Amino acid sequence: MKRKLRMGMVGGGLTSFIGPVHRKAAGIDGEIELVCGAFSIVPGESKATGDALYLNPNRVYETYQEMFEAEKKLPADQRIDFVSVVTPNHVHFGPSKMALESGFHVVVEKPISFNLDEAKELQQLVSKTGLLLGLTHTYTGYPLVKEARKMVADGKFGKIRKVFVEYPQGWLSTLLEGTGNLQASWRTDPKQSGMGGAIGDIGTHAANLAEYITGLKITEVCAMLNTVVPGRLLDDDSSMLIKFDNGASGVLMATQVAAGEENNLNIRIYGEKGGLEWKQEEPNSMILKWLDRPKEIIRTGMGYISQDAKNFTRTPAGHPEGYLEAFANIYRAFTKAVRDYKPGVKLNTKDYDFPGVDDGVHGMSFVQTVVESSKSNQKWTKLD
């Protein structure tokens, strides 16, 4: 396939935060071209977005249903190859389902769906069609996160024993949704966000990062959810003990009321021989800690970094790579899989190193279990 992949988009209109992020990330490697979209349910905004992006007016649609019906009728050399779904949570399932049923691959924002039942239905549909579904758990895209995963897998730290992962933000320290802020309004609305507030929005990122680096799965949680800001409808603060499938234990904290914090996702992992520490706000450095020798600091782009990390590194050492590049790495891996796709042949997303439908189902199971645990007097709650 000696051409750019053709991408459609659902959501991501002029007032969107995450839509432009996806468009920039998808374009970084020059492998993807945005050709159509249904960008908003607000009358006129989809057309205005298409105009701003210089798209063919005939391929700017008012609804995603209209888009998929029209696109699948186009000749094979014109129709989209995949769709990027960048809507609020409650509109992830419908477009993803219809895209797969229409024969198109899917990239969808995290979380994969509004609830666990929807996630499992998408999992079944992916299995049935053999099509690809990528999930944008962004932080797995950083080169040093991939380096950390490789070091753990190679046994550099021995058997993993302890994990501390936290994601403090401060932007919801006040009732921001009461001021008309669009991002705050939908993220704190259970009808749009789902059963989890902070735990669904950023807690799932923390859990996914811990599982991605360690290669382990969270099996049980002992959780507490808080709603700190008066008048808020969903949790804005969470803390929990976690157990992993190898017997390791951990602590996970995710809060959006830590005043003064930005996006301070950070993780510490300890094994028998040593451990590591990585912070998202300073993503190009990682601290290694050893039982029998001094600490080390390793840096992105250096010659000693593994090939796993080099495959997702774009710039020379000392030139920071950040959020957009991490996002782009998910698109890069997804693009390789789409190019390798052949009807009737199922590809394993793990071979391409991007989050897939199974990660989405596990993430929704995590949110549901945390909510159940928080409501229960029982100490531990097992994941479905």
Side-chain angles (χ1 to χ4, degrees):
M1 186 188 299
K2 294 184 178 180
R3 61 171 176 81
K4 291 186 177 183
L5 296 184
R6 294 183 288 268
M7 180 177 84
M9 181 168 278
V10 177
L14 294 176
T15 59
S16 167
F17 157 68
I18 205 65
V21 172
H22 276 260
R23 290 192 286 268
K24 291 183 179 74
I28 282 179
D29 289 313
E31 293 278 339
I32 297 169
E33 178 184 11
L34 177 67
V35 297
C36 72
F39 298 105
S40 177
I41 61 172
V42 177
E45 186 172 333
S46 188
K47 180 182 183 303
T49 305
D51 289 344
L53 296 172
Y54 304 106
L55 296 183
N56 181 342
N58 293 328
R59 296 182 76 177
V60 178
Y61 306 97
E62 290 300 313
T63 68
Y64 70 81
Q65 294 93 337
E66 179 190 356
M67 183 175 87
F68 292 132
E69 287 296 336
E71 289 294 316
K72 68 183 182 182
K73 294 176 183 177
L74 291 175
D77 62 348
Q78 296 179 33
R79 71 172 74 108
I80 57 173
D81 297 295
F82 75 95
V83 64
S84 181
V85 180
V86 296
T87 55
N89 300 355
H90 69 299
V91 196
H92 286 182
F93 174 71
S96 298
K97 180 176 185 288
M98 189 172 181
L100 293 168
E101 291 173 339
S102 300
F104 303 124
H105 304 290
V106 175
V107 171
V108 59
E109 252 299 312
K110 177 277 324 156
I112 191 172
S113 59
F114 190 69
N115 56 46
L116 182 57
D117 288 341
E118 289 181 350
K120 288 181 176 180
E121 187 172 343
L122 289 178
Q123 186 181 45
Q124 293 170 358
L125 196 52
V126 167
S127 177
K128 177 182 177 181
T129 63
L131 293 166
L132 297 163
L133 186 147
L135 184 69
T136 51
H137 269 300
T138 319
Y139 305 105
T140 63
Y142 283 98
L144 283 185
V145 168
K146 296 186 181 298
E147 182 70 7
R149 176 181 171 88
K150 180 69 163 59
M151 294 185 75
V152 170
D154 287 347
K156 299 291 186 183
F157 307 112
K159 181 182 177 181
I160 299 303
R161 293 171 165 172
K162 198 74 179 178
V163 178
F164 298 90
V165 60
E166 60 179 22
Y167 199 154
Q169 294 178 336
W171 74 292
L172 289 178
S173 291
T174 62
L175 196 67
L176 193 60
E177 58 267 39
T179 69
N181 183 289
L182 294 178
Q183 289 298 316
S185 294
W186 79 258
R187 292 177 192 274
T188 59
D189 179 1
K191 294 180 180 179
Q192 298 184 72
S193 187
M195 67 173 63
I199 192 60
D201 192 16
I202 58 176
T204 48
H205 276 308
N208 177 260
L209 184 67
E211 292 186 326
Y212 179 80
I213 293 177
T214 63
L216 305 174
K217 287 294 181 184
I218 296 172
T219 57
E220 294 182 71
V221 300
C222 178
M224 180 178 69
L225 299 182
N226 294 323
T227 303
V228 175
V229 176
R232 182 155 291 153
L233 300 179
L234 286 172
D235 63 277
D236 49 24
D237 175 68
S238 65
S239 303
M240 69 201 70
L241 304 176
I242 52 179
K243 290 182 181 179
F244 293 90
D245 55 5
N246 78 329
S249 64
V251 179
L252 186 152
M253 181 274 280
T255 182
Q256 293 173 313
V257 293
E261 292 285 0
E262 297 175 2
N263 281 280
N264 191 17
L265 172 62
N266 62 86
I267 188 166
R268 289 171 287 150
I269 298 172
Y270 299 96
E272 299 165 307
K273 304 174 185 177
L276 63 86
E277 182 175 350
W278 180 81
K279 297 183 177 182
Q280 191 271 154
E281 290 186 346
E282 297 183 13
N284 300 290
S285 295
M286 183 163 64
I287 300 173
L288 307 181
K289 305 174 183 183
W290 305 106
L291 187 63
D292 56 358
R293 60 184 189 272
K295 292 180 182 179
E296 300 175 55
I297 298 177
I298 62 174
R299 296 275 294 164
T300 301
M302 298 298 291
Y304 51 72
I305 297 298
S306 70
Q307 192 60 47
D308 291 51
K310 288 178 180 176
N311 290 340
F312 292 92
T313 302
R314 293 176 171 78
T315 60
H319 294 75
E321 295 196 38
Y323 183 70
L324 285 176
E325 289 85 356
F327 240 111
N329 282 338
I330 293 174
Y331 273 100
R332 172 186 278 187
F334 180 81
T335 297
K336 289 180 180 179
V338 171
R339 291 191 182 283
D340 288 344
Y341 169 80
K342 293 179 178 59
V345 179
K346 292 186 178 180
L347 299 179
N348 185 353
T349 61
K350 300 301 181 185
D351 294 336
Y352 294 86
D353 197 4
F354 66 87
V357 68
D358 292 343
D359 299 283
V361 172
H362 190 66
M364 289 308 303
S365 178
F366 172 75
V367 173
Q368 179 172 297
T369 305
V370 168
V371 173
E372 291 173 355
S373 175
S374 182
K375 293 178 179 179
S376 173
N377 290 324
Q378 182 175 321
K379 185 175 181 181
W380 290 97
T381 306
K382 291 186 178 182
L383 265 72
D384 178 7

